[in-house]
Amino acid sequence: MTVRNATKASAVIPEASGIQPAVARAPAELARALETHFLSKLEYLNAIGIALSQERDIHKLLETILIAAKNLTHADGGTLYRLDGDKLQFEIVRTDSLSIAMGGTSGNPVPFYPIPLHDKDGEPNYTMIAAYAALMHRTVNIADAYIEEGFDFSGTRNFDKRTGYRSTSFLTVPMKNHEGDIIGVLQLLNAIEPATSLVTAFSEEDQRLAESLASQAAIALTNRLLIQQLEVLFESLIELINTAIDDKSPYTGGHCKRVPTLTMMLAEAAASATVGPLTEFRMSEKDRYELKIAGLLHDCGKITTPVHVVDKATKLQTIYDRIELVATRFEALKREAEIEMLRAKVKALEAHDEASARRAEEACAAKIRQYDDDREFLRRTNIGSERMKPEDQARVSQIARYQWRNERGEVDRFLSRDEEDNLNIPYGTLNAGEREIINHHIVATIKMLEALPWPRHLLNVPEYAGGHHERMDGKGYPKGLTREQMSIQARVMGIADIFEALTARDRPYKPGKTLSDSLAILGRMKENGHVDPDLFDIFVRDKVYLRYAREFLDPEQIDQVDETRIPGYKP
C-alpha cells in the first residue's frame, strides 16, 4: 500500500488574482502576487471559521464545511462523512460537473451504504480510503486512483462507468475533535486547475488548507453537537419535571404539553402579522427557542401543589369525596323519621285513632321525600358549576342546620361548617384556601426559574413563564402587572393558558367546552381587560383556535364558529 502526498507542477491560483506564469513575471512581483494569494486564502479560511462557529443547524454546518473545502482546493466534488459508531455515514455528497447534490439542504437523501471501519471479524478496513484515513488518523492524498495501489476503488470505477466520469485525484482528511477522536472524514475529488480547467493532483498547499479547515470544522461540529446534546438533555429534564407532574395528576400533565404548542402557534401568527399594532413584532430562532422553553416550564411550580387540590373534582373531595358521608347521614335521618313515625302510629293505634296513624305515615313519607330531594340536590351542588345561584346557596345553608345524632350519639349540625362552606363554593370546586394553594404554583414557578443560572439566550424564560396569570388591567397575580409591563410573549402565553383550560376535556371538574363557547368566554375576557386585545384579534382572525382544535380537540367540540358574534372581536 502506498500513501502519497502528490504535488502539482504549479500552485493553484484563483483566476481573479491575475497571476501569470512565473516565466512572464519578475521574481519580486511574483512573490507579492503569491503573498496576496496566500493572504486571500487565509482570509477565506478565517471567514469560514467564523461562519462555522455561528451556524446552529447541523446539516447546514456540514454542507458549509464541504463547500468551503471544495472552494479552497478547487475540487470538482467531495463527500463528508460522520462517524456513527463503527461506520462512516454519508452526510453530504457534491459533484459539480455531474450536478450531483445529496444531503444537507439539497432535499435529496444520500442513498449510499455506510463505510464500516472494521469487517465482521473485527479486522480494520484498510482497503477503503475513507476508513483508512479514519483508522490511521492520517491524510491520504492520491494523484490518480486508477494507478494507485493498496486501496479498493472498485466502487469508484463502477460509478465512473455508469456516469462517464473519471475519478482521478483524491484528498481524504480525517476530522478530529479536541480530544483527538475521529468524528468524521472530509474527502475531496478531482482538483481542477483554474487556468486550464483540467483535472490535476491536490497540491501540498491544498492539503494544508484542507487539514486546517477540517480542524476548524471538527471544533465547530463538536461544539454544535455538544450544544445540541445539552439542549436535548435540558429539554429531557423539563420533560422529566412534566412527567412527575403528570404522574401526580394526569389533568395537569396534558396541560403542560398543550400550552407550549398553542403558545407557539399564536406567537408565530403574531410574528407574521402584516396589519395591526403587532406588525413590528418578529421572532428569531433564538426567540422561538426561548419561548418554547418558557412554555414547557410555565407550570413547573405545580410539582409543589398537593394532589388532592389539583385533582379536586367535586366540592367535598379531599382524599375521597365526602358526599357519601352526607348521603349516609340522610339515611340516618330517614331511619329516625321512620322510628318517630312508628312510635306515633303505635300510640295512635293504641288509642284507636286511625286518623292520627295515617297522618304520622304521611308526615314520615313527606320527610323522606324531602330528604331524598335534599340529598340529590347536594349531589348536584357538589359537582360544581360556573356560577352557583344565591337561592341554591341559601338552601345548602338551610340543610346544614338540620339536626341529627352523630357517631357519638350527640345532637349535631347536619353539615359541618367546612362542608357547608365547600358546598356553597360559588364557581368551580375550589374554596378560597384551595385557590390560594393553586395560585401559589405560579409563585413557585417564578421562584424556581429565577433561581436557575440561565444563559444569555434564555434570560427571559422566567418572565415569559411567570406572566401567564397576569391580566392586562393589572388585576392578575402574582405581581399585578399591567399590559405595558409585560412582554408580548408573556401575553401570548396568557391567552394560550386560558384557551387550553377552557377546551381541555381531561379536567376532573368539567367537560371541554366547544370552540364557540370558549371564544365567547375569551372575548368577554378581552372586554374585561383580562387578555391582550391585539393578540386576541390575531388569535381569531388567523384562526389559530381552529388549527389547535384540529390537533387536540374532540370532533364534537369543533362546532361552527360565527366570528361576527364573538364578543370584543375586531376583524
Side-chain angles (χ1 to χ4, degrees):
M1 177 185 302
T2 60
V3 180
R4 302 187 309 184
N5 290 322
T7 59
K8 296 181 184 177
S10 60
V12 177
I13 299 173
E15 294 176 336
S17 67
I19 297 177
Q20 302 298 322
V23 294
R25 306 290 297 274
E29 186 180 353
L30 179 61
R32 287 194 298 271
L34 289 174
E35 182 181 357
T36 301
H37 163 65
F38 291 134
L39 287 175
S40 175
K41 292 270 188 178
L42 289 174
E43 287 173 357
Y44 181 74
L45 194 60
N46 184 55
I48 288 298
I50 295 172
L52 293 178
S53 66
Q54 295 174 343
E55 181 57 65
R56 292 179 56 86
D57 185 276
I58 292 291
H59 298 295
K60 289 182 180 178
L61 176 61
L62 296 174
E63 188 174 62
T64 300
I65 293 169
L66 182 60
I67 291 174
K70 285 174 70 280
N71 290 342
L72 276 171
T73 61
H74 296 282
D76 180 52
T79 300
L80 195 146
Y81 308 86
R82 275 179 63 187
L83 186 63
D84 183 9
D86 192 54
K87 296 180 179 179
L88 290 174
Q89 188 78 40
F90 286 82
E91 289 286 346
I92 314 288
V93 177
R94 295 286 186 274
T95 305
D96 295 344
S97 60
L98 295 178
S99 299
I100 292 176
M102 302 175 184
T105 60
S106 69
N108 303 315
V110 183
F112 308 135
Y113 290 111
I115 298 175
L117 296 188
H118 296 84
D119 62 22
K120 60 182 180 180
D121 297 323
E123 294 299 318
N125 178 15
Y126 289 138
T127 62
M128 304 296 290
I129 186 171
Y132 177 90
L135 288 166
M136 299 302 292
H137 292 218
R138 184 184 303 173
T139 297
V140 181
N141 191 340
I142 293 176
D144 190 340
Y146 277 77
I147 62 174
E148 186 70 30
E149 297 179 356
F151 292 114
D152 180 5
F153 285 106
S154 59
T156 299
R157 289 166 183 159
N158 288 333
F159 172 81
D160 288 354
K161 285 181 181 179
R162 292 195 308 271
T163 61
Y165 194 69
R166 176 63 159 79
S167 302
T168 305
S169 53
F170 282 80
L171 180 61
T172 308
V173 184
M175 297 171 61
K176 304 177 187 179
N177 65 15
H178 60 288
E179 295 178 342
D181 298 326
I182 298 296
I183 63 171
V185 171
L186 172 64
Q187 187 171 79
L188 301 169
L189 172 65
N190 282 6
I192 304 297
E193 173 64 55
T196 63
S197 298
L198 297 177
V199 175
T200 185
F202 289 97
S203 69
E204 291 183 0
E205 178 194 334
D206 292 334
Q207 181 173 325
R208 288 195 299 271
L209 288 170
E211 287 173 342
S212 179
L213 175 61
S215 178
Q216 290 188 47
I219 293 172
L221 180 57
T222 299
N223 288 342
R224 175 45 47 194
L225 289 173
L226 179 59
I227 292 171
Q228 190 177 71
Q229 290 165 359
L230 289 174
E231 288 175 348
V232 170
L233 175 61
F234 180 51
E235 291 183 35
S236 297
L237 289 173
I238 295 173
E239 183 63 28
L240 187 67
I241 294 172
N242 288 342
T243 300
I245 297 173
D246 194 7
D247 285 345
K248 285 179 62 177
S249 168
Y251 313 115
T252 53
H255 176 78
C256 290
K257 292 180 176 67
R258 291 188 293 267
V259 168
T261 301
L262 183 52
T263 295
M264 297 311 299
M265 285 182 179
L266 178 53
E268 292 291 355
S272 302
T274 56
V275 295
L278 293 174
T279 52
E280 295 184 4
F281 174 66
R282 293 293 181 266
M283 292 193 301
S284 64
E285 286 305 310
K286 166 195 163 298
D287 297 329
R288 288 179 174 87
Y289 184 72
E290 188 173 39
L291 183 56
K292 171 189 171 183
I293 295 300
L296 290 170
L297 286 168
H298 84 285
D299 266 353
C300 65
K302 281 186 177 176
I303 201 168
T304 67
T305 307
V307 179
H308 73 273
V309 177
V310 175
D311 288 1
K312 192 180 181 190
T314 62
K315 295 181 179 181
L316 289 181
Q317 182 176 336
T318 51
I319 304 302
Y320 61 95
D321 192 348
R322 292 175 289 165
I323 195 66
E324 299 306 325
L325 294 179
V326 174
T328 301
R329 290 176 209 157
F330 275 114
E331 293 303 316
L333 286 181
K334 288 162 67 175
R335 284 196 297 273
E336 287 183 9
E338 289 173 347
I339 292 171
E340 182 182 349
M341 179 271 295
L342 290 173
R343 286 173 178 167
K345 188 175 180 181
V346 167
K347 185 177 180 180
L349 291 175
E350 287 177 347
H352 303 289
D353 187 353
E354 293 184 3
S356 294
R358 284 195 301 272
R359 284 195 297 272
E361 288 179 344
E362 291 170 356
C364 177
K367 272 189 177 182
I368 289 175
R369 284 194 301 272
Q370 182 62 51
Y371 291 150
D372 285 341
D373 187 48
D374 288 341
R375 180 186 61 196
E376 292 309 310
F377 166 72
L378 292 186
R379 282 191 183 277
R380 293 193 303 273
T381 301
N382 185 45
I383 294 173
S385 61
E386 289 185 18
R387 179 65 61 180
M388 188 177 182
K389 297 177 182 178
E391 53 267 33
D392 288 339
Q393 290 177 311
R395 184 176 176 184
V396 168
S397 296
Q398 180 184 1
I399 295 171
R401 292 190 292 270
Y402 287 174
Q403 299 291 306
W404 80 298
R405 289 191 177 276
N406 60 28
E407 64 278 5
R408 296 182 298 276
E410 302 167 345
V411 176
D412 198 359
R413 283 171 54 97
F414 185 72
L415 297 177
S416 68
R417 296 288 184 185
D418 178 74
E419 290 166 342
E420 180 184 356
D421 290 343
N422 273 274
L423 286 169
N424 271 333
I425 291 171
Y427 57 94
T429 61
L430 300 178
N431 59 39
E434 290 161 342
R435 287 194 177 278
E436 187 86 13
I437 292 172
I438 286 289
N439 290 349
H440 179 72
H441 85 272
I442 191 61
V443 177
T445 294
I446 295 172
K447 185 176 180 181
M448 290 166 63
L449 296 182
E450 288 183 344
L452 295 176
W454 295 99
R456 186 172 59 182
H457 67 289
L458 295 176
L459 282 176
N460 294 313
V461 166
E463 191 264 327
Y464 295 167
H468 66 278
H469 283 297
E470 301 289 353
R471 292 174 48 127
M472 302 304 100
D473 57 9
K475 297 178 182 178
Y477 63 91
K479 297 181 180 180
L481 301 177
T482 63
R483 183 189 186 208
E484 292 71 23
Q485 294 172 305
M486 298 171 63
S487 64
I488 292 175
Q489 288 87 337
R491 288 180 255 159
V492 165
M493 199 170 294
I495 290 179
D497 187 74
I498 293 170
F499 191 77
E500 190 284 332
L502 290 171
T503 57
R505 59 186 187 276
D506 56 5
R507 295 297 191 272
Y509 47 83
K510 70 167 187 66
K513 294 185 179 298
T514 63
L515 282 181
S516 55
D517 287 344
S518 300
L519 290 169
I521 293 171
L522 200 59
R524 288 193 288 273
M525 286 183 167
K526 171 191 173 178
E527 292 178 327
N528 294 333
H530 194 136
V531 300
D532 184 274
D534 300 328
L535 287 169
F536 174 78
D537 290 343
I538 290 175
F539 187 74
V540 178
R541 184 177 63 242
D542 287 13
K543 292 183 170 47
V544 177
Y545 66 88
L546 189 57
R547 295 201 301 275
Y548 173 79
R550 287 169 177 163
E551 185 172 350
F552 291 105
L553 302 193
D554 286 336
E556 57 268 23
Q557 290 180 266
I558 308 176
D559 59 350
Q560 189 67 35
V561 174
D562 183 355
E563 294 181 355
T564 63
R565 299 174 64 87
I566 297 175
Y569 172 55
K570 295 180 180 178

